[in-house]
Amino acid sequence: MKDTMRAVVKNKPEPGVSITDVPVPEAKKDEVLIKVIKASICGTDIGIYDWGDWAKGHITPPIVIGHEVVGEILEINSDDPRDLKIGDLVSSETHIYCGQCYQCGVGNAHICENMKLFGISRDGAFAEYATLPIATTWKNDPTIPVDQMSVQEPLGNAVNVVTTANVPGKRVLIYGLGPTGLCAAAVAKAYGAHVVTGIDPSKFRQNLGKEMGCDETFDAVSKERLGSFDIVLEMSGNKQATEEAFEAARLCGTIIAFGIPKEKICIDWGKYMINKELTIKSIFGRMIWDTWHRTSDLLLSKKVDLGKIITHELKLEEFEKAMEIMKSGEAGKIILTP
Ligand SMILES: [Zn+2]
Ligand SMILES: [Zn+2]
């Protein structure tokens, strides 16, 4: 095997990345080495590229970025590799947990107090090879299309959001039809929502929304329909949408908060939290491994077809071009191939 590999590296604490040669990583104890087959670009990667506030607080360059991945196991360095074997097609849970803290102990490893993040606080997958801790390596069912295996991470977020909301028979409103919002539309329909309404300013994304399962899509919620939705999924991180979510939910409705706004959100506590008897729950990532099993089931049963949101496939070298396409709003998921 060669010593160096091509990788997308956040080299300096400033906007941009370099596409450069770095040493091939070695699998440390209880890790696997994978050959990356496909990796998909996440909204987080744009924030890292632009060097936004979130990235500044979470990344210490140099780091190989990228966390949504499928790869083939080349090496296993462990006496206890679970059911993993050389040649398996695997993906990575991004939230790398410690297994020791209070939250890990009570079944909330996804929100571990000492969490590390794949492709953010340790080297990730926009490269020819990557190493993954065995504890956060997910073995894929080989009958799932390979392209879709790397997109399970955002689909998993959507699964966790939708299952938390209890959608059967309900009127569901989704703010934001980015990849996770689009996945949420598909999952909400698959899980029996009565009507799914998608809101996004981009016509391109509205059309994707209809293909993925939205019954209707709009630029904005009309005044007369505010207060008529049983469940509001805030997937946009847009300040105005996040504030409007409290108005859009009906009395005793549920809001699931997923999108991360750049600014602080101000809400009228008495008007919404008391008088409306709202239920509000935030979601940060996927339950390990509960959400992954559900995600896999949706793909295997073809109740969700992630192929519809994969709009572009580019070479790893074309990362800058991929950033331009993502920022244009005319993209669902972009897959990179090393
Ligand atoms: Zn992601
Ligand atoms: Zn922990």
Side-chain angles (χ1 to χ4, degrees):
M1 203 168 101
K2 49 190 199 169
D3 300 330
T4 61
M5 64 174 186
R6 231 37 194 155
V8 179
V9 182
K10 187 75 191 174
N11 246 340
K12 296 192 190 121
E14 59 186 39
V17 291
S18 34
I19 296 153
T20 182
D21 288 337
V22 297
V24 172
E26 267 176 46
K28 299 198 188 82
K29 182 94 178 93
D30 295 320
E31 290 186 351
V32 295
L33 172 71
I34 62 166
K35 181 170 171 35
V36 174
I37 299 172
K38 311 262 176 189
S40 47
I41 299 178
C42 180
T44 313
D45 298 317
I46 303 176
I48 295 170
Y49 181 81
D50 289 342
W51 202 234
D53 286 339
W54 189 89
K56 283 178 194 158
H58 286 81
I59 292 203
T60 312
I63 285 276
V64 175
I65 66 169
H67 57 271
E68 300 179 5
V69 66
V70 55
E72 180 189 345
I73 296 185
L74 296 184
E75 275 173 40
I76 300 175
N77 181 0
S78 175
D79 305 325
D80 182 19
R82 300 189 347 239
D83 58 343
L84 299 174
K85 296 187 305 296
I86 306 284
D88 281 348
L89 292 179
V90 294
S91 292
S92 176
E93 166 54 53
T94 309
H95 295 191
I96 298 170
Y97 58 90
C98 75
Q100 308 292 326
C101 73
Y102 177 89
Q103 293 301 337
C104 284
V106 299
N108 290 332
H110 70 290
I111 196 159
C112 166
E113 291 166 29
N114 308 308
M115 191 185 347
K116 292 206 165 61
L117 296 164
F118 182 56
I120 292 160
S121 57
R122 69 172 264 158
D123 283 337
F126 292 157
E128 293 174 74
Y129 302 91
T131 56
L132 314 175
I134 282 175
T136 48
T137 297
W138 172 256
K139 180 168 168 155
N140 288 303
D141 184 303
T143 62
I144 294 173
V146 172
D147 271 359
Q148 304 193 22
M149 288 179 183
S150 78
V151 191
Q152 288 172 104
E153 201 248 16
L155 175 58
N157 283 329
V159 167
N160 200 9
V161 162
V162 173
T163 47
T164 302
N166 189 21
V167 296
K170 303 283 177 57
R171 295 169 186 271
V172 178
L173 176 69
I174 302 175
Y175 282 109
L177 297 174
T180 316
L182 291 167
C183 286
V187 178
K189 277 318 261 190
Y191 286 170
H194 175 54
V195 175
V196 176
T197 306
I199 304 296
D200 198 289
S202 154
K203 281 275 172 285
F204 181 86
R205 288 177 157 186
Q206 285 184 30
N207 289 337
L208 277 179
K210 290 216 180 89
E211 276 185 50
M212 285 298 277
C214 287
D215 296 288
E216 51 184 15
T217 57
F218 303 101
D219 297 337
V221 184
S222 65
K223 269 221 162 50
E224 50 294 353
R225 291 185 71 187
L226 289 171
S228 72
F229 297 95
D230 301 297
I231 290 165
V232 180
L233 310 180
E234 204 315 291
M235 314 296 283
S236 72
N238 175 280
K239 179 174 158 67
Q240 203 187 326
T242 308
E243 289 173 349
E244 193 182 89
F246 294 89
E247 199 64 50
R250 67 164 26 138
L251 297 173
C252 296
T254 297
I255 297 174
I256 308 290
F258 178 80
I260 305 176
K262 290 196 178 87
E263 303 140 276
K264 288 194 176 148
I265 300 298
C266 191
I267 65 160
D268 186 333
W269 189 268
K271 183 177 177 188
Y272 298 118
M273 299 298 285
I274 311 301
N275 295 357
K276 281 189 88 167
E277 284 205 0
L278 297 176
T279 300
I280 296 163
K281 173 82 171 82
S282 65
I283 291 294
F284 182 56
R286 301 140 299 276
M287 301 297 287
I288 305 167
W289 294 104
D290 179 281
T291 304
W292 285 80
H293 286 290
R294 291 169 198 271
T295 300
S296 181
D297 286 345
L298 285 169
L299 293 174
L300 285 168
S301 64
K302 303 202 164 47
K303 286 187 176 140
V304 171
D305 177 7
L306 284 176
K308 290 180 187 159
I309 64 163
I310 299 171
T311 52
H312 299 77
E313 272 212 60
L314 298 173
K315 292 298 234 184
L316 191 68
E317 255 84 7
E318 298 175 288
F319 185 79
E320 305 265 359
K321 183 177 164 192
M323 284 292 108
E324 273 171 40
I325 299 170
M326 290 278 285
K327 288 181 184 184
S328 74
E330 303 268 295
K333 268 285 166 195
I334 300 181
I335 306 258
L336 298 176
T337 311

